[in-house]
Amino acid sequence: MRIRIIATAAVTVILASVTVGCSSAPHPDSAPHPTQQGAAVMCEGFVKKRLKSPGTAKFSGVTETKIETLSNKKPWSYQVTAWVDSQNTYGGVVRNDYVCTISTEDDKTWTLAKDIKFTSHS
């Protein structure tokens, strides 16, 4: 019985050593590839920062938002064309179309490649 426990423990240690030894660290260039939907969400954040009343913002849905991949390699870049409804200074709700061009190196830090272009509906 004691030999069986020792043998089982030895096999477990050996398997654990082999598993750890065979695992490889991720390649530095294997950063997660950002998604188009992630780019749209990040653009919404940039747009909100420019609104008079960001808490009232209602954004276009998936079917009304156009997302174009401009670069499919580092730095990844996207152009998002969509709309946002939000209150203006006087409390009236206004719809603005916007074009947001953003890029990322790592899917964590996003930057505006161009200033956001707004077009209001009157």
Side-chain angles (χ1 to χ4, degrees):
M1 179 73 172
R2 182 180 167 123
I3 294 175
R4 181 180 285 177
I5 293 171
I6 293 172
T8 303
V11 169
T12 303
V13 169
I14 291 169
L15 288 176
S17 298
V18 170
T19 303
V20 170
C22 291
S23 67
S24 61
H27 191 275
D29 290 334
S30 66
H33 190 288
T35 64
Q36 286 186 331
Q37 205 56 34
V41 169
M42 296 309 296
C43 275
E44 288 179 7
F46 284 118
V47 168
K48 278 186 174 183
K49 289 180 182 178
R50 286 158 177 74
L51 297 175
K52 297 284 184 189
S53 183
T56 65
K58 303 283 188 232
F59 289 91
S60 54
V62 175
T63 59
E64 299 173 288
T65 301
K66 179 185 171 198
I67 308 165
E68 181 182 354
T69 301
L70 302 177
S71 173
N72 207 16
K73 60 182 180 179
K74 284 187 179 181
W76 295 287
S77 61
Y78 300 88
Q79 181 171 291
V80 178
T81 305
W83 57 260
V84 60
D85 289 339
S86 66
Q87 289 182 354
N88 62 14
T89 306
Y90 306 106
V93 176
V94 180
R95 176 164 291 181
N96 285 289
D97 294 327
Y98 65 88
V99 178
C100 171
T101 306
I102 59 172
S103 64
T104 183
E105 288 277 344
D106 57 9
D107 197 29
K108 294 178 185 169
T109 306
W110 293 80
T111 56
L112 283 172
K114 298 179 185 177
D115 198 27
I116 299 171
K117 181 182 175 190
F118 287 98
T119 307
S120 64
H121 291 245
S122 298

